[in-house]
DNA sequence: AATGAATGAGCGTTCATTCAT
DNA sequence: TATGAATGAACGCTCATTCAT
């Protein structure tokens, strides 16, 4: 995760308040990342932002609004990141694809991302807003991926490209808990990234629509299993 | 997730207490799954288990101990599941591999697993015990996977097999938030599972050690990128 | 106000909790009476009852429930008081009427009543529950009054008796803020009570239904006023 | 309640500030009337007046001062109202008396009065200033009443006239909670007013000083009661 | 006159935990 | 084993008030 993008709503002259909002959002993210969601309290955020609870409530009347802005700020950061890669036409589609994979896996190993996203996933299970924002950000990621997949495999239909993007995106996210910041297998990140690039590229270049639809290629073991 | 396995520690005659513990653990899991970690309170657990807070504290003096047992009980269930698949020698290694993939992805779409594991991942970021237990369960999953990979690719070294198992295991877990219970892309689970089986099998059967180590095959774009 | 009547809901053996509830309700009434509604906080009540906020919440999960029980306890006390007077058949209807007037005005001068009821009236303007409970208690008062009025004036219809009871009841309540505990005109309570007895008795004994309906008796000034 | 009378203290040229004060006082009264005293916050007043909290504090440094002015403004309005009736010499004393009764009961049924006065009474129990202002306004009301009573009954002493005025004034105020705006018995206001006019007129015209002092007229039941 | 920003105390409520019975 | 009662800290939030600009 690189930086928070706070969209100011009103263009008031005062930038003192604007700075406070950035401090609050950064503090909130840091508390969430370093201490976890249950400790993301208004008091902790205020303390870390160097203000009082009362003043925090001046900027965010309630926790929900704060969470809202926090998630949106994180989102906006990724939106800008993905755009840069997708719009880089100086390199080939295959290179762009590899770059996306390396960017995403590289990002998920940062302290912020390793801390933030699992919290968001857990939240999304019981919080409609978190679920919606999560859907939004991953739709963006999949769209970027599907675009490049289309350039690599123009023969595939939109549905197949979207499913491949879904599979690849979800697979990458899964590595957060293993090669993420200070996680168990963090030392294997280089190798895992290499495998990811190889695996996803091979997948995209070789798969046939029937493998997705479930008609196993000839010689597969499925028949035998059904017989048993 | 299928069921909770609670290992009684003392062999006391009372099985009333044993039943109470199972009720408590089940209640705890259900609260966690249905309401999320922040609402996993001693009161909620006690109420759902049909006992009083005071009595809950007789079985679990504090929340940490309860969490401990809960995570271990979930773990134990999976230990038994994996064992059954790994020990099934009536089918070929390739079939065993496919079965593992289909079992894991099938499981992650259950209500319990979709609810439980993201909470565990988030917790593991800030709770050493959760991290340790998580490491334990996934080590088990990877061991099972690595064993079958070894049968499929006897030419690969242990390190490569382990890395492939890590990549495949992590990739599968990543689908929890997307095709899991009531998640965004739940309807695509069949196609995603097919892609997973195809992709992982292709990967295992085709990858060379040098692709893992990072020496890209000739003609790769890496050189060019480094030059830019 | 004489005493609080707390109706225990469950007949549990423990009277420790029962005593705590009485202590809480008494504390709540005293805070309300002595410090006013804005200072009727859970903390103040707990402190005065000699318990902690946490323990108060064990008995009353929220302020609304506490208020509910408090108002009902006060109500119940009056219910018993009125019953005693109404059921006293040893004295004549006129004496019973006088006794009721003297009891109500006498009660309104007690510290508890002077403090409690104006707070309830103010509350009833914006709190449906308070309004409903208030309606309940005064209906009871009017019913008692109307009963005696009926014995004094059997010639009057029910509607007229009810209106007289309403007028008399409301008039008496109005004295709370003037001859109530430590209020401006507290020293005039004896004379005011005498006037009340004389006035209400004269009213009941002399009024004709047409004076209530608005048809002024002959010789009244209404006509002249309309002409001017 | 008809309108707020704010007396400007300094004769500064700025009438912008004067208008702001009226807006603030009106906002304060409306919040009190519509939402109740506990919600009469500086923020609510400022918001309703269309200014910021900071600016409100320019006009009223603290809540006490604001309350002070609010109560005085309401008072002043009544002062003007009573003066008009008292000074109307075109009608007879009896008519003037009836007009006062009808005016007061009519006023107490307005939204503003029904909301404002019970709040003031409750406040007066614990706030010396509110008690003092309340005393002031009702003294005025009683003075007006006593004046007319004196014209009706020149034979009575000042003390008796004052006591009658106290009884009548207090009785009328008591109807606020019953026939006031949106209160329980609001539909009975016409009949109650008729009863009030009849009752108070009868009282004033017939009562003897000894009935006030407590020496009951011959034939009364007091003797019997004392005997029992 | 007016704003936006800030404080610190207090609110109702929830919580993990303890303990006598 | 099981309960009801109790504690003290923390939670999200609101408030009157202050102050620099």
């Amino acid at each position: 995760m690189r930086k928070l993008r706070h969209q100011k709503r009103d263009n008031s002259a005062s930038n003192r308040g604007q700075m406070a909002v950035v401090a609050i959002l950064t503090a909130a993210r840091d508390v969430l990342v370093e201490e976890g969601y249950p400790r993301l309290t208004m008091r902790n955020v205020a303390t870390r932002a160097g203000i009082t609870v009362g003043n925090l409530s001046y900027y965010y009347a309630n926790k929900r609004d704060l969470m809202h802005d926090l998630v949106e700020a994180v989102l906006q950061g990724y939106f800008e990141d993905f755009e840069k890669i997708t719009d880089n036409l100086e390199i080939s589609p295959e290179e762009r694809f590899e770059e996306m994979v390396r960017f995403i896996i590289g990002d998920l190993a940062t302290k912020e991302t390793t801390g933030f996203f699992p919290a968001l996933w857990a939240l999304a299970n019981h919080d409609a807003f978190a679920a919606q924002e999560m859907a939004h950000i991953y739709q963006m990621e999949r769209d970027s991926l599907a675009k490049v997949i289309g350039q690599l495999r123009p023969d595939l239909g939109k549905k197949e490209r979207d499913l491949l993007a879904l599979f690849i995106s979800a697979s990458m996210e899964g590595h957060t808990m293993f090669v993420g910041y200070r996680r168990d297998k963090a030392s294997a990140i280089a190798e895992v990234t290499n495998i990811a690039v190889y695996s996803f590229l091979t997948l995209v270049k070789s798969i046939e629509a029937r493998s997705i639809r479930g008609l196993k290629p000839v010689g597969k073991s499925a028949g035998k299993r059904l017989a048993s």
Side-chain angles (χ1 to χ4, degrees), chain A:
Chain A
M1 193 184 298
R2 297 201 313 194
K3 60 177 142 178
L4 264 18
R5 298 282 172 188
H6 174 62
Q7 299 286 43
K8 200 168 49 174
R9 267 139 188 131
D10 61 329
N11 270 1
S12 75
S14 83
N15 63 348
R16 186 143 148 247
Q18 179 66 8
M19 279 170 62
V21 166
V22 170
I24 289 166
L25 258 16
T26 304
R29 186 200 60 185
D30 290 350
V31 173
L32 182 59
V33 162
E34 291 171 23
E35 307 184 42
Y37 183 74
R39 302 194 60 174
L40 181 64
T41 70
M42 297 299 267
R43 274 166 182 80
N44 278 347
V45 171
T47 300
R48 201 180 271 251
I51 61 177
T52 61
V53 239
N55 196 21
L56 173 55
S57 85
Y58 175 78
Y59 292 98
Y60 289 102
N62 54 60
K63 197 177 175 178
R64 170 178 287 252
D65 288 356
L66 172 56
M67 281 299 295
H68 207 286
D69 258 28
L70 171 58
V71 172
E72 284 202 338
V74 169
L75 215 78
Q76 187 60 23
Y78 282 100
F79 186 71
E80 294 180 10
D81 288 333
F82 286 132
E83 226 173 19
K84 264 179 214 152
I85 300 175
T86 303
D87 292 357
N88 179 10
L89 299 179
E90 294 178 12
I91 56 176
S92 71
E94 189 170 327
E95 284 171 321
R96 227 146 44 219
F97 182 83
E98 180 170 348
E99 189 143 351
M100 285 208 68
V101 171
R102 291 191 182 277
F103 167 76
I104 290 169
I105 299 183
D107 175 73
L108 104 213
T110 63
K111 181 181 167 187
E112 288 78 18
T113 299
T114 302
F116 187 89
F117 283 85
L120 182 63
W121 300 334
L123 208 55
N125 264 328
H126 313 100
D127 180 313
F129 165 71
Q132 171 201 316
E133 291 296 290
M134 210 193 110
H136 188 180
I137 190 171
Y138 286 116
Q139 187 60 53
M140 200 171 71
E141 183 173 304
R142 287 192 299 268
D143 285 347
S144 299
L145 245 17
K147 195 172 170 187
V148 188
I149 291 169
Q151 294 165 336
L152 252 22
R153 287 290 301 276
D155 60 305
L156 287 177
K158 175 174 176 8
K159 201 186 163 190
E160 279 76 22
R161 294 196 309 261
D162 287 347
L163 284 165
L164 284 174
L166 170 59
F167 173 79
I168 291 167
S169 166
S171 293
M172 287 191 292
E173 295 304 316
H175 288 80
T176 307
M177 304 79 82
F178 302 97
V179 298
Y181 183 73
R182 287 194 177 160
R183 298 309 285 258
D184 225 30
K185 300 290 171 183
S187 62
I189 191 163
E191 291 88 344
V192 164
T193 307
N194 288 336
I195 295 174
V197 168
Y198 170 85
S199 176
F200 298 144
L201 227 27
T202 303
L203 168 67
V204 168
K205 291 199 277 195
S206 74
I207 200 167
E208 293 303 313
R210 65 180 175 198
S211 296
I212 297 175
R213 289 194 304 269
L215 301 172
K216 308 273 172 57
V218 178
K220 261 303 204 178
S221 57
K224 275 187 264 177
R225 242 204 9 277
L226 284 173
S228 70

